[in-house]
Amino acid sequence: MFHFNEAGLVEVSEERVVIGDFRIQVRLDSDPQPQELAKAGVTRSEGKDQHGAYQEFLHLFQDEEQTIGVELKFRSYGRYALCWVNGEIRNANAFGKQTCFAADCGIVIQTGPIRQVDGLMANYQHKDWWTRPHFDTRMSTLPARTQSLLWRSSLPDYIHILPVCGPVIRTELCGGESDSLLFRLSSHQSGRTRNDTLCFVMGSGTDPYRIIEDHVEAAAKQLDGQFLPREQKKYPEILDYLGWCSWDAFYHQVNEEGLLTKAEEFRRSGLPVNWVMIDDGWSSVHDGKLSAFEADPVKFPRGLGAAVDDLKNRSG
């Protein structure tokens, strides 16, 4: 089993630090080179909030001039811990030119090396609209834009980290040098002198499905209903039935003839397809830009409505 203390996540049986030795770098909009902050101390306190009783560990970092400060705040609730990042740049003149955090990777948290990884599974954003799994035994190979990380370090326990995308700041995870982890915080906005956000949820347990569900639920509760866990979402009843999407069959080359041929194939085979999703490629595009709100007249000469009506009739 594991617990949190001033050092980070620690394995109880051997008092081995699994994830800790945190370092903070900041990037400013006026200087693309990252600047590492010095650690100024750790304080401990206790309290209770909507998640339950907690122990809080506040790691303080600042630059030499004490004009840039970042607080790394852990609240450990036993089953999991929440981590907040509060960053601030104190400009001497509020009316002059301001020094601000860079829009991308304005704050980066780096952990110490994570060793003895028996195996890891990550889910990362391969495209803006797609994710992929990643499997390895080395943290250094963790892809950019990782959105979930699960690994096994000490049987029978699993450890899971859920980076959080809040209303302003987005946290992404990736592998660093010497098998460290990098948490990259971006607002994608210029002119920010404060970056405050729930950064990630982390915990351990013997049931990997349960700890992931717990972390999603904890993040949803902290973000006050800005998103819902999967089991609380309501889907249209039609999604309870078998459906078919045109993308893997046609990609951008979808057209009326191909869809109707496919519907006839479903009908002959007796496949009970209750709904069809016509994916990307049906719209009117010129030079890579949307040129009209109607369907491409070459691909759908009778219009999308007529094609859909025939599609319903042929699929039964």
Side-chain angles (χ1 to χ4, degrees), residues 151-163:
W151 80 92
R152 210 167 194 173
S153 179
S154 178
L155 296 177
D157 286 284
Y158 293 88
I159 301 171
H160 178 251
I161 296 178
L162 178 69

Side-chain angles (χ1 to χ4, degrees), residues 214-232:
D214 284 349
H215 295 174
V216 171
E217 182 179 349
K221 183 185 294 186
Q222 186 62 38
L223 293 178
D224 197 23
Q226 294 180 28
F227 75 93
L228 292 175
R230 182 175 56 187
E231 61 273 9
Q232 296 181 23

Side-chain angles (χ1 to χ4, degrees), residues 130-148:
W130 281 333
T131 61
R132 281 182 176 176
H134 169 80
F135 304 93
D136 210 307
T137 58
R138 297 164 298 162
M139 290 296 181
S140 60
T141 67
L142 201 64
R145 301 204 293 179
T146 288
Q147 298 178 317
S148 175

Side-chain angles (χ1 to χ4, degrees), residues 103 164-171 185-189 192 194-197 223 226:
V164 174
C165 180
V168 177
I169 307 296
R170 174 188 176 96
T171 302
L185 282 67
S186 302
S187 65
H188 303 297
Q189 298 175 351
R192 296 189 63 86
R194 292 191 63 89
N195 278 347
D196 301 339
T197 189
L223 293 178
Q226 294 180 28

